[in-house]
């Protein structure tokens, strides 16, 4: 486990400064509790401070100081008698100094990638003096100067960074003193110097030994042997007893972890997967891997495949097969699973037309759905189970190619809990009847007319998505004919994940078109009191504070609403994403207008990658006779790694909230921000290490020596590109924290691209092999191995395999 990121180290020092400057008096009694102009935080009473920015880990787009981006600054104020009166919004101070989330970083920008021609002074910068100047009624330059002086004082006199967070938290919680205790000493100081630039921005220069220590720490933590992989025996494991698999796991210190349940991929059964399923599958897998490999080990993760296996389409298929007297055995004789699904899809298209035009067939299909949902018709269940079986064969083929791991918990899984959940909603008087249907409004201001007009389009099982422009969108819990809808299963699913699986953080990776639907579904958790507080900051709570501020799950299995229990805190996110477009910026389809099947898309990428790699290899062999020609087996393997990886990376490097243009040519380019370029950089590093002529045993001994003797690392500040490379390396955990907080994988892609560029500059400027200075050679080989480890780790998180030769 990493002790802390660079941003975390700087942030804790800086928070002591702000806490020190804002303290008014210890809260020894309750006299000040009713003062609306103060904030009670950790036993101290603070004046309200700042109305925006500071609680955010990263800068908001509307910031007046948007030129300064990520990370935290070290600035320490040692004025114990400075009882500044501040009359501003208190939200920021509450967030900043709340002991429960004291580990949440504040705003600082790290030095940009070496290929970005941006004017930047120092290793890090912070705009904090600009942000707080008005709050403290000081000029930005004066405040920056005061902060800079004090941070250097604290940095040179404080104790271990590892104790700093506990020191800050403990002092914030004491009621008996008026000052933050800064007596402990920092053995390894961080800051070499601070400079004030651009009217109050503070530039931070890190000490070389601090950076070396961070490098060694990361080298150890991100050993490939430490990568956590999902413990599933097959890709799309059909769930029989998931509840037993989601027990509350503790770390080796006995601390309870945050239980994350992530819902992704979720295709409809009895259909082939198409390009529309690509983004949810890839994004969900990436987020799962990142949470499973959190350097702070905060999470235990359950991956869930919420397949569509319970709705009207199955009723149509069963009705059509019955009317036409079609035997499944004869229909699918001598067909592969893919051919069987194609046959089912053709039958579905016919049955859908009949459903829309034939009232008798429509009624029969609806009856079959109800029989399926009740589960008491053996013939219907037999057809349904067979359709699911052939669907899983196709799913597992796709998931194996993309290296996706999931546990299947489809809509039908929740059927046995639906009645119980509806009864609970009725008991809480949350359901309203409309033309025989039961509706749930998440908006309190609902008129009778609105109730009367919400069941018109409920037959498609997705009516809530049809009225996304209306003020009050209902959730149809039960149709007039007794059938259930997507709303029903989604509400029941939410209930199950919160109350049975006892999830702390629920993540739904579903396209942006479902935003309104999930907004209303998530509201149900609050209006039912299944949770008492939605809190985005639970990921920043330390284990003790999180457990002390939430319900004891083991002691409260059945009654989570007991007022004598602690408040139930949870986080629920809809990770939305845009659609895949073709190069003409239209929906990605075949020439005939059909949706492109996902398997066909993947195979085309592999085919193109094969020809590109083969051509490149032949060119290099002609240029250099010492280069070996790749074997057919090597070409086949490399084309799959590149082909699948290119598709994944092209998706993940795009901000998920936007649409992205699918282009084989661009994603398979060896230049620019592509998977091919990054994988090539990785292979290049492997080649450099191999050419060192060191055996594996000698390399292991070299690494062991350096890990035990910091002085064996060369003076890394002598060469700018070497220094910039290592600064980028030690930023890795901060990037992972950013992705976890925002659930945006494109930040990791950008980081790996920047790291690749920084390595190229390092290799251009710094010779590695065949040096007369053996110690320098060993030092730079260690740096190469460190880059290799971080790239291997980051590529795994993105779902990409690596190649030692390309």
């Amino acid at each position: 486990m990493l002790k802390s990121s660079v941003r975390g180290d700087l942030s804790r020092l800086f928070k002591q400064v702000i806490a020190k400057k804002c303290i008014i008096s210890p809260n020894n009694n309750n006299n000040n509790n009713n003062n609306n102009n103060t904030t009670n935080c950790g036993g101290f009473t603070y004046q309200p401070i700042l109305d925006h920015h500071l609680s955010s880990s990263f800068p908001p787009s509307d910031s007046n100081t948007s030129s300064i981006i990520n990370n935290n600054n070290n600035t320490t104020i040692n004025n114990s008698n400075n009882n500044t009166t501040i009359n501003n919004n208190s939200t920021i101070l509450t967030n900043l100094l709340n002991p429960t989330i004291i580990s949440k970083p504040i705003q600082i920008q790290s030095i940009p990638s070496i290929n970005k021609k941006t004017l930047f002074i120092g290793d890090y910068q912070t705009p904090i003096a600009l942000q707080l100047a008005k709050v403290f009624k000081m000029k930005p330059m004066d405040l920056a100067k005061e902060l800079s002086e004090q941070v250097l004082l604290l940095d040179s006199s404080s104790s271990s960074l590892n104790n700093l967070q506990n020191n800050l938290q403990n002092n914030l919680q004491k009621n008996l003193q008026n000052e933050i205790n800064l007596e402990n000493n920092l053995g390894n100081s961080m800051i070499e110097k601070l400079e004030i630039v651009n009217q109050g921005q503070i530039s931070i220069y890190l000490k070389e030994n601090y950076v070396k220590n961070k490098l060694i720490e990361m080298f150890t933590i991100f050993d490939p042997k430490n990568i956590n992989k999902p413990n599933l025996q097959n890709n799309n494991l059909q769930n029989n007893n998931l509840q037993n698999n989601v027990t509350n796991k503790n770390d080796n210190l006995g601390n309870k972890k945050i239980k994350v349940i992530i819902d992704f991929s979720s295709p409809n059964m009895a259909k082939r997967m198409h390009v529309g399923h690509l983004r949810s599958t890839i994004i969900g897998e990436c987020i799962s891997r990142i949470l499973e490999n959190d350097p702070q080990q905060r999470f235990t993760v359950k991956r869930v495949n919420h397949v569509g296996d319970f709705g009207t389409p199955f009723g149509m298929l069963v009705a059509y097969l019955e009317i036409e007297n079609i035997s499944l055995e004869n229909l699918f004789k001598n067909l592969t699973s893919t051919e069987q699904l194609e046959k089912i899809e053709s039958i579905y298209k016919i049955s859908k037309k009949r459903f829309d035009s034939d009232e008798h067939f429509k009624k029969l299909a609806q009856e079959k759905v109800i029989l399926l949902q009740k589960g008491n018709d053996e013939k219907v269940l037999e057809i349904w189970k067979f359709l699911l079986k052939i669907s899983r064969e196709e799913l597992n083929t796709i998931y194996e190619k993309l290296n996706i791991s999931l546990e299947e918990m489809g809509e039908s899984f929740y059927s046995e809990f639906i009645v119980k959940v509806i009864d609970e909603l009725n008991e809480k008087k949350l359901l309203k009847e409309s033309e025989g249907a039961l509706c749930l409004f998440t908006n309190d201001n609902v008129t009778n007319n609105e109730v009367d007009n919400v069941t018109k389009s409920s037959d498609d099982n997705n009516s809530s998505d049809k009225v996304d422009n209306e003020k009050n969108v209902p959730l149809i819990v039960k149709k007039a004919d007794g059938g259930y809808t997507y709303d029903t299963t989604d509400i029941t699913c939410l209930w199950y994940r919160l109350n049975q699986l006892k999830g702390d953080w629920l993540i739904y990776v579903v396209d942006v078109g479902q935003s309104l639907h999930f907004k209303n579904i998530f509201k149900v958790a609050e209006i039912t009191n299944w949770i008492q507080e939605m809190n985005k900051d639970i990921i920043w709570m330390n284990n003790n504070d999180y457990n002390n501020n939430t319900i004891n799950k083991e002691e409260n299995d059945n009654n989570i609403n007991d007022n004598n229990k602690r408040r139930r805190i949870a986080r629920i996110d809809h990770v939305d994403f845009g659609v895949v477009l073709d190069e003409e910026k239209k929906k990605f389809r075949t020439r005939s207008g059909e949706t492109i099947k996902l398997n066909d898309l993947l195979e085309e990428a592999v085919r193109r990658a094969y020809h590109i790699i083969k051509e490149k290899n032949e060119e290099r062999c002609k240029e250099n006779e010492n280069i070996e020609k790749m074997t057919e087996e090597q070409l086949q393997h490399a084309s799959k790694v590149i082909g699948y990886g290119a598709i994944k990376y092209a998706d993940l490097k795009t901000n998920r909230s936007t649409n992205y243009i699918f282009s084989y040519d661009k994603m398979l380019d060896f230049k620019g921000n592509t998977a091919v370029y990054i994988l090539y950089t990785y292979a290049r590093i492997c080649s450099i290490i191999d050419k060192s002529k060191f055996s594996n045993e000698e390399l292991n001994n070299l690494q062991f020596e350096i890990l035990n003797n910091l002085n064996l690392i060369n003076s890394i500040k002598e060469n700018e590109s070497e220094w910039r490379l290592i600064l980028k390396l030690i930023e890795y955990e901060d990037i992972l924290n950013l992705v976890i907080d925002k659930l945006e994988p494109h930040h990791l892609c950008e980081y790996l691209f920047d790291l690749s560029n920084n390595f190229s500059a390092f290799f251009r400027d710094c010779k590695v092999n065949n040096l007369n200075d053996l110690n320098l050679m060993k030092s730079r080989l260690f740096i190469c191995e460190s880059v290799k480890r971080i790239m291997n780790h980051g590529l795994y998180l993105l779902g990409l395999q690596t190649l030692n030769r390309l």
Side-chain angles (χ1 to χ4, degrees):
M1 180 186 296
L2 271 179
K3 298 173 183 176
S4 179
S5 68
V6 178
R7 185 170 282 117
D9 288 342
L10 295 171
S11 185
R12 283 191 292 275
L13 285 171
F14 190 61
K15 287 189 177 187
Q16 289 211 45
V17 176
I18 300 300
K20 177 77 170 176
K21 193 169 181 66
C22 295
I23 293 174
I24 295 177
S25 62
N27 187 21
N28 294 324
N29 53 57
N30 297 323
N31 295 337
N32 294 326
N33 286 353
N34 297 322
N35 187 344
N36 293 328
N37 294 322
T38 61
T39 299
N40 186 351
C41 180
F44 286 107
T45 302
Y46 300 93
Q47 289 284 6
I49 188 172
L50 201 58
D51 57 357
H52 66 304
H53 294 341
L54 199 57
S55 63
S56 174
S57 306
F58 303 93
S61 58
D62 61 345
S63 171
N64 292 328
T65 56
S66 59
S67 61
I68 297 300
I69 316 176
N70 313 337
N71 233 320
N72 330 351
N73 178 16
N74 287 334
T75 356
T76 310
I77 301 248
N78 197 18
N79 296 334
S80 59
N81 297 319
N82 187 356
N83 299 331
T84 309
T85 301
I86 304 161
N87 297 309
N88 249 341
N89 192 304
S90 64
T91 302
I92 185 56
L93 183 62
T94 303
N95 290 334
L96 179 66
L97 299 180
N98 186 343
T100 304
I101 55 170
I102 205 67
S103 63
K104 185 174 182 178
I106 56 178
Q107 189 178 342
I108 281 189
Q109 179 188 15
S110 60
I111 189 168
S113 172
I114 202 164
N115 67 314
K116 295 177 180 176
K117 306 302 181 184
T118 305
L119 180 62
F120 193 93
I121 301 173
D123 302 327
Y124 286 89
Q125 287 185 2
T126 176
I128 199 64
L130 293 168
Q131 294 174 341
L132 294 179
K134 288 185 178 179
V135 175
F136 289 113
K137 299 181 179 179
M138 296 177 68
K139 294 179 180 179
M141 292 293 289
D142 292 340
L143 180 58
K145 184 174 183 294
E146 181 180 347
L147 296 177
S148 298
E149 290 172 352
Q150 294 301 319
V151 71
L152 290 175
L153 177 63
L154 175 60
D155 184 50
S156 63
S157 63
S158 303
S159 71
S160 164
L161 280 171
N162 305 330
N163 298 324
L164 192 53
Q165 179 173 1
N166 291 334
N167 178 41
L168 173 56
Q169 186 168 346
N170 292 337
N171 281 300
L172 282 171
Q173 293 173 333
K174 289 180 181 178
N175 295 329
L176 302 177
Q177 61 184 45
N178 194 23
E179 301 181 28
I180 299 296
N181 182 3
L182 301 178
E183 292 178 359
N184 289 334
N185 266 325
L186 243 167
N188 297 317
S189 58
M190 303 167 57
I191 310 297
E192 182 175 279
K193 66 176 180 177
L194 299 173
E195 289 183 2
I196 303 170
V197 298
N198 298 334
Q199 305 302 314
Q201 295 171 12
I202 301 173
S203 291
I204 305 168
Y205 294 81
L206 298 179
K207 281 192 173 181
E208 185 172 300
N209 274 0
Y210 170 79
V211 173
K212 287 181 179 180
N213 272 314
K214 276 295 171 191
L215 177 64
I216 287 176
E217 185 181 342
M218 295 188 68
F219 184 90
T220 304
I221 294 299
F222 294 108
D223 188 317
K225 293 181 289 188
N226 294 334
I227 291 177
N228 291 321
K229 297 183 179 180
N231 185 24
L232 299 178
Q233 293 181 350
N234 58 55
N235 291 322
N236 190 40
L237 182 68
Q238 186 181 2
N239 188 286
N240 295 316
N241 194 4
L242 182 67
Q243 186 175 356
N244 291 336
N245 291 328
V246 192
T247 54
N248 191 15
K249 296 183 179 180
N250 296 348
D251 62 18
N252 54 12
L253 298 176
N255 296 314
K256 293 178 182 177
K257 296 186 178 183
I258 295 172
K259 293 180 184 176
V260 182
I261 299 170
I262 179 167
D263 176 333
F264 66 99
S265 192
S266 308
N268 290 319
M269 304 297 264
K271 293 182 181 180
R272 293 187 67 195
M273 289 184 75
H274 56 76
V275 67
H277 299 115
L278 182 66
R279 300 206 73 185
S280 175
T281 304
I282 291 174
I283 294 170
E285 175 70 24
C286 177
I287 292 174
S288 298
R289 291 184 179 208
I290 291 173
L291 294 174
E292 288 162 348
N293 288 277
D294 169 43
Q296 299 297 331
Q297 300 178 13
R298 289 169 287 187
F299 313 108
T300 177
V301 180
K302 275 296 158 194
R303 304 142 164 261
V304 174
N305 199 4
H306 189 80
V307 296
D309 64 354
F310 207 46
T312 303
F314 283 94
M316 297 180 194
L317 288 170
V318 173
Y320 183 85
L321 293 172
E322 181 179 298
I323 287 178
E324 299 297 327
N325 196 27
I326 297 175
S327 165
L328 289 176
E329 183 177 348
N330 293 332
L331 180 66
F332 297 134
K333 191 174 183 179
N334 299 324
L335 296 180
T336 66
S337 59
T338 298
E339 292 170 335
Q340 290 173 345
L341 272 181
E342 288 174 343
K343 179 69 72 174
I344 286 296
E345 282 189 317
S346 66
I347 292 175
Y348 172 74
K349 290 177 182 178
I350 298 170
S351 65
K352 181 65 169 68
K353 290 181 180 179
R354 186 177 293 188
F355 183 87
D356 293 336
S357 60
D358 186 337
E359 284 298 323
H360 173 73
F361 180 80
K362 182 177 182 178
K363 184 176 180 181
L364 178 62
Q366 291 169 339
E367 290 173 354
K368 296 299 181 184
V369 173
I370 294 173
L371 290 174
L372 171 62
Q373 293 175 347
K374 289 183 177 179
N376 53 12
D377 188 298
E378 290 299 324
K379 186 176 181 181
V380 170
L381 289 175
E382 181 184 357
I383 296 173
W384 176 69
K385 289 178 180 178
F386 182 83
L387 294 175
L388 295 186
K389 177 179 176 293
I390 62 174
S391 298
R392 290 190 185 107
E393 292 176 5
E394 163 96 348
L395 291 185
N396 287 335
T397 299
I398 298 292
Y399 292 152
E400 184 176 353
K401 289 180 177 180
L402 292 175
N403 200 12
I404 306 296
S405 297
L406 279 161
E407 298 182 52
E408 183 182 316
M409 284 183 71
E411 296 166 333
S412 61
F413 177 88
Y414 306 100
S415 59
E416 63 179 291
F417 307 105
I418 288 176
V419 173
K420 179 178 181 179
V421 171
I422 292 177
D423 288 345
E424 181 178 338
L425 297 175
N426 259 323
E427 289 173 6
K428 294 179 177 179
K429 303 186 185 322
L430 296 173
L431 300 182
K432 300 179 184 294
E433 186 174 336
S434 173
E435 297 182 5
L438 293 178
C439 304
L440 191 157
F441 283 83
T442 56
N443 189 316
D444 292 335
N445 303 315
V446 182
T447 66
N448 290 332
N449 287 336
E450 287 172 326
V451 173
D452 293 337
N453 292 323
V454 298
T455 57
K456 305 294 185 183
S457 58
S458 62
D459 287 333
D460 66 357
N461 267 5
N462 202 13
S463 60
S464 61
D465 295 326
K466 301 288 185 180
V467 287
D468 57 2
N469 291 321
E470 295 191 12
K471 180 180 178 181
N472 295 308
V473 181
L475 296 170
I476 300 177
V477 177
K478 189 174 185 180
K479 296 191 291 185
D481 62 10
Y484 302 126
T485 69
Y486 291 146
D487 295 341
T488 316
T489 51
D490 281 348
I491 291 172
T492 306
C493 171
L494 180 68
W495 171 88
Y496 187 85
R497 291 173 180 176
L498 289 171
N499 298 343
Q500 300 300 306
L501 300 184
K502 297 189 168 50
D504 302 306
W505 187 5
L506 310 186
I507 302 173
Y508 293 73
V509 187
V510 188
D511 70 88
V512 70
Q514 300 289 321
S515 294
L516 182 62
H517 170 69
F518 281 113
K519 181 179 179 181
N520 285 291
I521 290 292
F522 298 163
K523 284 182 181 177
V524 174
E526 293 183 288
I527 64 176
T528 55
N529 214 28
W530 293 340
I531 60 175
Q532 286 79 48
E533 181 183 340
M534 292 272 201
N535 193 328
K536 290 275 186 181
D537 284 327
I538 64 170
I539 65 172
W540 300 111
M541 297 180 182
N542 66 42
N543 286 291
N544 290 332
D545 283 320
Y546 179 69
N547 293 326
N548 289 336
N549 282 276
T550 57
I551 290 174
N552 187 316
K553 301 175 184 64
E554 279 66 37
E555 296 177 358
N556 197 28
D557 285 337
N558 298 315
N559 185 9
I560 68 167
N561 298 319
D562 186 343
N563 290 329
N564 293 322
K565 300 291 183 180
R566 291 185 289 272
R567 292 172 60 79
R568 176 72 189 276
I569 300 174
R571 174 174 175 175
I572 308 179
D573 285 287
H574 173 207
V575 177
D576 59 3
F577 52 85
V579 299
V580 182
L581 304 175
D582 62 21
E583 294 189 73
E584 296 180 354
K585 298 184 179 180
K586 297 178 181 178
K587 281 197 173 182
F588 200 40
R589 298 182 182 276
T590 63
R591 291 182 179 179
S592 62
E594 296 289 323
T595 302
I596 295 178
K597 303 306 178 188
L598 188 50
N599 191 63
D600 298 338
L601 188 82
L602 296 174
E603 291 311 303
E604 177 63 14
V606 172
R607 185 189 70 80
R608 294 189 182 216
Y610 177 89
H611 291 295
I612 291 172
I613 296 169
K614 184 178 181 181
E615 182 181 339
K616 293 279 187 184
N617 180 242
E618 290 174 350
E619 289 177 359
R620 293 195 66 202
C621 288
K622 289 179 181 179
E623 295 170 357
N624 187 343
E625 60 183 16
N626 294 323
I627 295 177
E628 294 182 8
K629 187 176 181 179
M630 295 179 73
T631 66
E632 181 63 22
E633 183 180 0
Q634 289 173 328
L635 282 170
Q636 291 287 350
H637 174 67
S639 62
K640 290 180 181 179
V641 172
I642 294 295
Y644 300 151
I647 287 178
K648 289 182 178 182
Y649 189 85
D651 188 316
L652 294 170
K653 78 172 185 178
T654 307
N655 187 319
R656 60 172 171 78
S657 299
T658 63
N659 300 334
Y660 93 93
I661 297 174
F662 190 97
S663 169
Y664 286 115
D665 291 338
K666 290 181 180 178
M667 67 176 58
L668 291 169
D669 197 338
F670 272 71
K671 297 179 181 179
N673 189 7
T674 66
V676 187
Y677 171 68
I678 292 172
L679 289 171
Y680 174 75
T681 303
Y682 180 86
R684 188 182 186 189
I685 296 170
C686 294
S687 176
I688 292 168
I689 295 172
D690 288 342
K691 289 178 181 178
S692 71
K693 307 299 185 188
F694 279 81
S695 66
N696 288 335
E697 183 179 356
E698 288 173 324
L699 286 171
N700 289 333
N701 290 336
L702 181 158
Q703 294 162 15
F704 181 80
E705 290 172 8
I706 290 178
L707 292 175
N708 287 278
N709 187 351
L710 193 68
N711 295 325
L712 292 179
I713 299 179
N714 185 52
S715 179
I716 51 181
K717 275 199 170 186
E718 291 181 0
N719 187 288
E720 181 187 4
S721 58
E722 187 170 19
W723 178 249
R724 296 275 289 272
L725 174 62
I726 297 176
L727 285 178
K728 181 58 63 175
L729 274 173
I730 66 173
E731 190 187 350
Y732 184 52
E733 191 195 357
D734 285 319
I735 297 300
L736 296 184
N737 276 331
L738 172 59
V739 177
I740 290 170
D741 192 34
K742 305 295 184 184
L743 297 175
E744 294 174 346
H746 72 273
H747 298 292
L748 178 55
C749 294
E750 183 177 352
Y751 170 82
L752 291 175
F753 179 55
D754 288 344
L755 183 61
S756 298
N757 286 326
N758 280 20
F759 179 81
S760 295
F762 161 77
F763 189 63
R764 177 196 67 211
D765 299 337
C766 303
K767 189 175 181 180
V768 176
N769 289 321
N770 302 318
L771 292 172
N772 293 328
D773 187 338
L774 183 60
N775 289 333
L776 178 59
M777 180 177 170
K778 288 181 177 181
S779 174
R780 288 182 174 170
L781 280 172
F782 180 79
I783 292 172
C784 289
E785 182 65 35
S786 299
V787 178
K788 178 184 172 183
R789 285 196 174 192
I790 296 300
M791 290 193 73
N792 178 72
H793 193 271
L795 287 167
Y796 169 79
L797 299 185
L798 294 177
L800 275 66
Q801 292 180 276
T802 57
L803 293 167
N804 291 345
R805 181 188 178 193
L806 182 57

